Every structure is written in C-alpha cells, then in structure tokens.
Amino acid sequence: MEGSYAHQRSVRAKLSANHLFESYGLVVADENPGYLTTGQVAKRLGISPRTLARYVREGLLQPSLTLPTGHHRWLWDDVVRQMQRDRDQPPR
C-alpha cells in the first residue's frame, strides 16, 4: 500500500540512502541504466565473471565505477576502449 506507514518508511530510507551516496559523490548504479554488472560484461565478452575479476586484479581492465561495497560497474564503451587500447600497444 502506497500510503501505508511501512511504504513511507521504505521511501524515506531509499531517499536518505541516495542522498548519502550523492553527498559523497557516489552513484547509485540502478539509477544509471548505462552501467553493466561484472556478470553482464563477462557474458558479453564470453568469459566468466571470475576471469573478468582476475583481469581487474592484474590491471588489464579497469571498471568505470567501483561501489562502496567493492562491486564494479562498467560502461560498455569503456570496456571496448580499453580493449582497443591494449590491442594497439606493442607487446612488452
């Protein structure tokens, strides 16, 4: 019920959480539809999420955004740009 006390508390909690994130310059990923989860990016690349996490640890790819929880969010254009950059660099 939209007018119920529980609903009003839920809405207030979401608003205060969003305000907290915004006050620290953080982004709530669910409200930014361009961001993909690690699982979504891994699926597009045809690799496992664990492999993508290893690429991040090894510095091969960098997420577009890291949430306070440590989870990564990605913009697909950033992923493509990083992969093209790495492809164009001469081998070490």
Side-chain angles (χ1 to χ4, degrees):
M1 299 173 67
E2 284 191 34
S4 73
Y5 178 72
H7 175 75
Q8 290 173 358
R9 279 185 55 186
S10 173
V11 169
R12 278 197 303 270
K14 285 180 186 175
L15 290 175
S16 63
N18 288 344
H19 174 71
L20 178 65
F21 280 121
E22 290 167 3
S23 66
Y24 285 100
L26 304 172
V27 180
V28 179
D30 293 341
E31 295 179 3
N32 295 290
Y35 284 96
L36 302 170
T37 65
T38 296
Q40 291 169 323
V41 171
K43 187 172 187 175
R44 286 187 183 193
L45 294 174
I47 60 176
S48 74
R50 289 180 72 172
T51 299
L52 183 54
R54 182 169 44 90
Y55 290 171
V56 171
R57 279 193 315 275
E58 294 175 358
L60 298 173
L61 288 175
Q62 293 182 344
S64 305
L65 175 69
T66 301
L67 301 175
T69 59
H71 293 99
H72 301 305
R73 294 296 181 261
W74 307 79
L75 292 171
W76 183 246
D77 289 344
D78 288 351
V79 174
V80 171
R81 197 173 303 113
Q82 289 180 64
M83 292 176 67
Q84 288 173 339
R85 176 199 66 206
D86 292 345
R87 185 188 66 204
D88 295 339
Q89 288 181 353
R92 297 181 215 173

